[in-house]
Amino acid sequence: MATLDLSSEFPAARDASVAEPSASSAVRVGVHDASRVEWSVSLPLPEGRAGSFSIEVRLKIPENAYVDHAPWKHLQHFTRLDGPQLSLADDVVSIDELRRGVLALANKLARASELFARHCRLASSLFATAPHSELEGVLRASLEAADRVVEDGRAHLATPVPGEASEVARERRLVDEYISVRLLEMLAAAGRALTTLGASRSPHVADFAPVIAATETHIAEALARELDHRQTERYVRAEPLLQKALERYLDRASQLKKHFQEVLFLEHETIHIVDRLSHLSAALVAVIASTWAFGWQLALLDRGTSLGARFGSGLTTVALLAGLIYATKDRMKELGRAFLARKLNDVYDVQRFTRFRAPQRRLPGRDVIVAASECFKQRDERLPDPLNPESGASVPYRVITYKSRGKVHPNAVLRASGVRRIKHVFRYDLSALFGRLDDATKSVPVQCEASRKVRFIDAPKAYRLPFEVRVTHDDRGDGGLARGGRREQQWVESTVLVVHKRGLDRIERPEEDDGVEVGLEPG
């Protein structure tokens, strides 16, 4: 058994955060694209008893910007396996093992990139009292460790073995190409981190100039080596002056990512409990309305002659009354169905039940790994006016709350293969709101400092939506999330979604406040 332990490439004292995610990284919130916000939750795969978890997400939208929509149709939920290590047998290597191995390597590169960016952020902090004397060595060590991880991964995963099947050899070439893409992404992220460090407002930013220059040289050398490797292997390259080449590169990178990550995704089974109850309630309302209409029909038959003598033509009168009865029956069905559906959503805390199973090719028994109950709640809330909270004025908001409670079941086979975590990925589509927002830009008068003349510029018109993700995990697995004496962990990620008419722009966090007072935008 040949073991590829990627964590050995990172010194424990310096790069401990690369091997395993820290508590603060258990919850992540980010922008997936121009319309969807994404949050992910990483939970440990238990060894003994099942572990309980609770995920609660709150989104506050100004009432004048809110558009009524069905939340379940705007939510995407994926769950996949996650682990930092890989073990390969010398005699048998399957395609799935190669795919899991390159994902473990990509995970290590991502941790190295995060470590590099973290050191840059710490060095650029306004609260740093002195320059980081070891910054250059730490940054160089992170890049060199990433290089060693790539070299070792290519040696174990991408090097062809004589006599192996043609499909395995083809997969090794895809592995090498995907390693190249992830290394280029890591180097690009390191370059952005250095740019941010050089543009920071730290009083020691001038002292970092030699460090930034030396590190940029190291990144340029690593980038040149990788681009030469891609040219030698005739991989798709991103040509800066050819738009089609850039499109092909991005499309190829996306295909590679989906190809390899597919092996880790769990198969989901979903039961919409409220929908089933809604069908039953709709049938009940239909029976009541039809019975009401049938009773009136019998009454018309019995009294049709007397009504005709009193009001004129009996046929015309019966037809008008019958039409009125049927119209009332349809209206009763619509109102009753909407009323019961709304009440079911308000009363039931379990609107959807989801199970995630391991794929059959991974575990023949398709064991259940995660089981969870989910629900959406909506309510109106009035928050104090941000300009003067003590004035008594308030701003109406619609609060959308998503809750998920469930268990992560232990699995000895998955743990033996290196799986250590279960990662939930959620995406919520906000495109329904954009049509209600004001123009994306507004003309703002400004004065030129030199000429003292007033001119107008286009300023972005943004809305800020408070967004919070709260996760609780109990590794005892008995559901006692709120009880004392349990080994309970909790993570909270409070952010603000900045949106405008063209879509979701960015995410702001409290630690990234630039000194400008930010209020809740009522529109």
Side-chain angles (χ1 to χ4, degrees), residues 356-434:
F356 291 92
R357 297 178 178 272
Q360 188 172 12
R361 68 171 181 266
R362 187 77 180 265
L363 294 178
R366 299 183 67 244
D367 299 359
V368 175
I369 308 302
V370 181
S373 58
E374 305 167 278
C375 72
F376 266 107
K377 300 288 185 180
Q378 298 190 44
R379 61 182 176 85
D380 294 326
E381 181 177 315
R382 301 192 70 89
L383 299 181
D385 184 82
L387 300 180
N388 189 1
E390 298 179 356
S391 66
S394 61
V395 180
Y397 279 81
R398 176 61 64 91
V399 181
I400 302 177
T401 303
Y402 166 78
K403 295 181 180 180
S404 175
R405 293 176 62 91
K407 290 187 176 182
V408 181
H409 297 279
N411 191 286
V413 177
L414 293 181
R415 285 198 64 87
S417 65
V419 177
R420 294 295 178 267
R421 294 177 300 276
I422 303 297
K423 186 173 183 179
H424 297 278
V425 180
F426 302 87
R427 294 168 187 164
Y428 194 79
D429 190 356
L430 302 171
S431 58
L433 310 177
F434 301 150

Side-chain angles (χ1 to χ4, degrees), residues 44-51 408-412 415 475-477 487:
L45 181 67
E47 296 187 56
R49 303 173 61 180
V408 181
H409 297 279
N411 191 286
R415 285 198 64 87
D475 59 7
R476 295 296 293 270
R487 290 179 292 182

Side-chain angles (χ1 to χ4, degrees), residues 11-17 115 119 134 137-138 141-142:
R14 177 177 294 171
D15 298 340
S17 60
L115 182 67
H119 282 300
E134 300 180 356
V138 170
S142 299

